[in-house]
Amino acid sequence: EGVTEIGNDAFYRCSSLTSITLPESVTSIGDYAFSKCHSLTSITIPEGVSEIGNGVFSTCISLTSITLPEGVTEIGNNAFFYCNSLTSITLPEGVTSIEYSAFQSCNSLTSITLPESVTEIGNFAFQECSSLTSITLPEGVTEIGESAFGYCSSLTSITIPEGVTSIGDYAFYLCSSLTSID
């Protein structure tokens, strides 16, 4: 108790670490703090954390699910990059942007719940999520980035809200199973 910040790279490549519970006093988790913790299967993130920084859980290949607390407003670049055992994630209301490569190569991700607060899907955000079958984007989304859903080979349908003003290059590139776009 009393720890308020987990610094950049704090547990980087702690390959035998299987779980961690952060105390309620933690409000900040630094970039790549748990990156490449290949045995990490679960983590409890306290309510006071508002930002999931760049690469925090990148290549945590055993992480199967995570629920982010209310109050998280930002999912950083590469935050969950190549978490290939992650099957589902629920993002809290208040998250406005899914940043660059945030969930890229999460090959087991079958479902994700995007809150109504999301307005932007960044470049490569869900690229190579080969198990993702469908997604409904919230009404407030105005921008879908470059290759945001590229190589999502199991994606069969997507609902794009009326307010979208920009769909980036290769946004749905090689989505070979896509049969329905609304």
Side-chain angles (χ1 to χ4, degrees), residues 114-174:
L114 299 178
E116 289 298 317
S117 56
V118 171
T119 60
E120 179 183 347
I121 308 295
N123 295 345
F124 312 103
F126 297 98
Q127 181 175 293
E128 298 176 17
C129 289
S130 58
S131 295
L132 190 64
T133 57
S134 69
I135 190 162
T136 300
L137 301 179
E139 287 299 317
V141 170
T142 60
E143 184 175 333
I144 299 171
E146 178 182 336
S147 199
F149 297 94
Y151 301 94
C152 290
S153 57
S154 296
L155 189 65
T156 58
S157 67
I158 187 161
T159 301
I160 300 173
E162 288 182 27
V164 170
T165 58
S166 174
I167 298 176
D169 295 343
Y170 307 101
F172 300 96
Y173 184 71
L174 289 176

Side-chain angles (χ1 to χ4, degrees), residues 21-77:
T21 302
L22 300 174
E24 291 297 318
S25 55
V26 170
T27 58
S28 175
I29 301 173
D31 293 347
Y32 300 92
F34 299 98
S35 179
K36 297 190 178 184
C37 290
H38 293 155
S39 299
L40 184 65
T41 59
S42 66
I43 187 163
T44 301
I45 298 176
E47 291 290 324
V49 174
S50 63
E51 179 181 336
I52 304 300
N54 296 330
V56 171
F57 299 103
S58 65
T59 63
C60 288
I61 60 174
S62 297
L63 191 64
T64 56
S65 69
I66 189 167
T67 300
L68 302 176
E70 293 296 325
V72 169
T73 58
E74 186 176 328
I75 308 294
N77 296 338

Side-chain angles (χ1 to χ4, degrees), residues 52 57 63 66 68 74-84 86 88-92 95 97-109 111-114 118 121-130 132 135 148-149 152:
I52 304 300
F57 299 103
L63 191 64
I66 189 167
L68 302 176
E74 186 176 328
I75 308 294
N77 296 338
N78 301 302
F80 296 94
F81 174 80
Y82 201 67
C83 290
N84 62 356
L86 188 65
S88 68
I89 189 162
T90 300
L91 302 179
V95 172
S97 178
I98 310 298
E99 297 293 331
Y100 179 93
S101 296
F103 296 96
Q104 183 178 353
S105 298
C106 291
N107 299 323
S108 297
L109 188 65
S111 71
I112 186 162
T113 303
L114 299 178
V118 171
I121 308 295
N123 295 345
F124 312 103
F126 297 98
Q127 181 175 293
E128 298 176 17
C129 289
S130 58
L132 190 64
I135 190 162
F149 297 94
C152 290

